[in-house]
Amino acid sequence: MSADTQASRSHAGFGAGAALGAFLIWGFAPLYFKAVEHVGAWQIVAHRILWSVVMLGLLLLALGRLHEIGDVLRSRRRFLTYCATTALVTANWSVFIWAVLNGYLVQSALGYYLSPLINVLLGVAFLGERLSRAQVAAACLAAAGVLISVIGAGEIPWIALALALTWGFYGLIRKRERIDPFVGLMVETAFLLPVCLAYLLWLWSQGAGAFGPLAAGGEGWAMSLAIMASGLITGLPIVLYMIGARHLPLSTVGLLQYLSPSINLVLATLVFEEPLRPATLVTFGFIWAGLVLFTIDATRRARLPVAPRHGVG
């Protein structure tokens, strides 16, 4: 075996381990949010943003890239773009945490299963991409699944749709504007930092703050350290995901991404004892069938040889 082959396998193994770590953290994150649920959803979101800024700031400082934050905001277009992505990622985080704390993790898992199919539709609508027959069939199966949920359960799965749509549009804008993952998330969370700090200081003045030795409930630094971990839970999987995406084929990363909602679904039904109604189970069945078609098609396309380009480029 040549040295190049060994190095390639080593990088692939490292990338697979990193990507797996990212999706495992995202999958088991509801356990963390349940452990601190008495803090309240909005206070959790505020602390998540605060400690994400701290962690990402330290990371960019270590990488010597902290100066890039100012560079990306010199354009009015960039500023407005970050306003949009900040609103979308905040909405996504808030809905997810609220869903976990209020017994809707099954719907949350449904939303993240829908995300790849929503991304395909957004690519058609906004990027001029064309659907293959398999992708059309996958999208139709997903739509049928949602319709069955509406008819069978008598309600629109708004949590699932909100998560899938906010995450889909967030990814779409980032892709079109070529936003760096680390710098982008740092800017987005920094935009919200003043509001979050003001809210947390107000809670502290009312005796309802959950951070510090005099925190409400008398839990002191133990709870404070648990809350600080929200930054690690937010930032670490992003770093691991980027490492994995750099060293692995896109099709492999695409397959691994279903691990997180699968873990969410297992936690929801077996640990948190959320009901899995027949209509919801049928909905999952349709969406899983669509994802199988989508994954087979994506894997086949990834293996096709790239046609050589001719002419002056």
Side-chain angles (χ1 to χ4, degrees):
M1 185 184 296
S2 67
D4 288 343
T5 302
Q6 286 182 330
S8 177
R9 289 188 176 181
S10 176
H11 288 159
F14 180 63
L20 183 62
F23 291 118
L24 285 173
I25 292 172
W26 281 325
F28 285 105
L31 291 174
Y32 166 79
F33 292 120
K34 275 288 190 179
V36 296
E37 67 177 330
H38 62 284
V39 172
W42 294 115
Q43 189 166 183
I44 293 173
V45 172
H47 275 290
R48 187 179 189 182
I49 290 167
L50 167 61
W51 299 110
S52 294
V53 171
V54 173
M55 180 181 172
L56 290 167
L58 292 173
L59 175 64
L60 291 175
L61 181 63
L63 295 173
R65 299 181 57 192
L66 201 57
H67 66 280
E68 295 180 28
I69 297 173
D71 296 340
V72 300
L73 294 176
R74 291 175 182 170
S75 149
R76 182 173 180 270
R77 176 186 174 89
R78 275 293 197 187
F79 177 80
L80 294 176
T81 296
Y82 276 113
C83 287
T85 56
T86 298
L88 287 167
V89 76
T90 304
N92 186 273
W93 286 358
S94 300
V95 171
F96 176 73
I97 292 174
W98 185 90
V100 171
L101 301 190
N102 288 275
Y104 291 97
L105 187 54
V106 168
Q107 266 208 53
S108 173
L110 177 62
Y112 287 116
Y113 277 125
L114 277 172
S115 289
L117 302 174
I118 292 291
N119 290 340
V120 169
L121 297 178
L122 292 177
V124 172
F126 296 97
L127 300 179
E129 297 175 358
R130 298 184 65 180
L131 291 179
S132 67
R133 291 180 180 178
Q135 288 174 330
V136 170
C140 289
L141 283 169
V146 173
L147 184 61
I148 287 170
S149 179
V150 172
I151 296 173
E155 60 183 14
I156 297 173
W158 69 269
I159 293 173
L161 293 175
L163 288 173
L165 289 171
T166 53
W167 194 248
F169 276 104
Y170 178 70
L172 172 69
I173 294 173
R174 274 175 160 255
K175 182 176 181 178
R176 289 186 66 171
E177 300 299 324
R178 298 180 180 178
I179 294 176
D180 179 87
F182 301 139
V183 175
L185 188 59
M186 176 66 184
V187 172
E188 290 159 358
T189 49
F191 270 13
L192 292 166
L193 186 58
V195 176
C196 292
L197 284 175
Y199 174 63
L200 292 173
L201 287 172
W202 177 79
L203 286 176
W204 183 79
S205 71
Q206 300 298 309
F211 187 83
L214 300 178
E219 295 170 288
W221 289 114
M223 179 53 61
S224 298
L225 290 173
I227 289 173
M228 289 172 67
S230 62
L232 190 66
I233 289 173
T234 300
L236 180 58
I238 293 172
V239 174
L240 293 174
Y241 175 81
M242 294 309 302
I243 293 172
R246 183 178 302 170
H247 295 293
L248 290 175
L250 188 60
S251 56
T252 304
V253 177
L255 285 171
L256 287 173
Q257 73 177 332
Y258 302 132
L259 181 61
S260 298
S262 298
I263 294 172
N264 286 175
L265 184 59
V266 170
L267 290 177
T269 54
L270 299 184
V271 178
F272 303 145
E273 299 181 343
E274 291 186 22
L276 190 58
R277 292 177 289 190
T280 306
L281 192 56
V282 173
T283 297
F284 273 109
F286 271 82
I287 291 172
W288 284 331
L291 288 174
V292 169
L293 284 177
F294 174 80
T295 303
I296 291 173
D297 182 70
T299 303
R300 180 185 63 83
R301 287 169 174 268
R303 291 175 178 171
L304 290 175
V306 179
R309 295 179 63 183
H310 301 285
V312 179

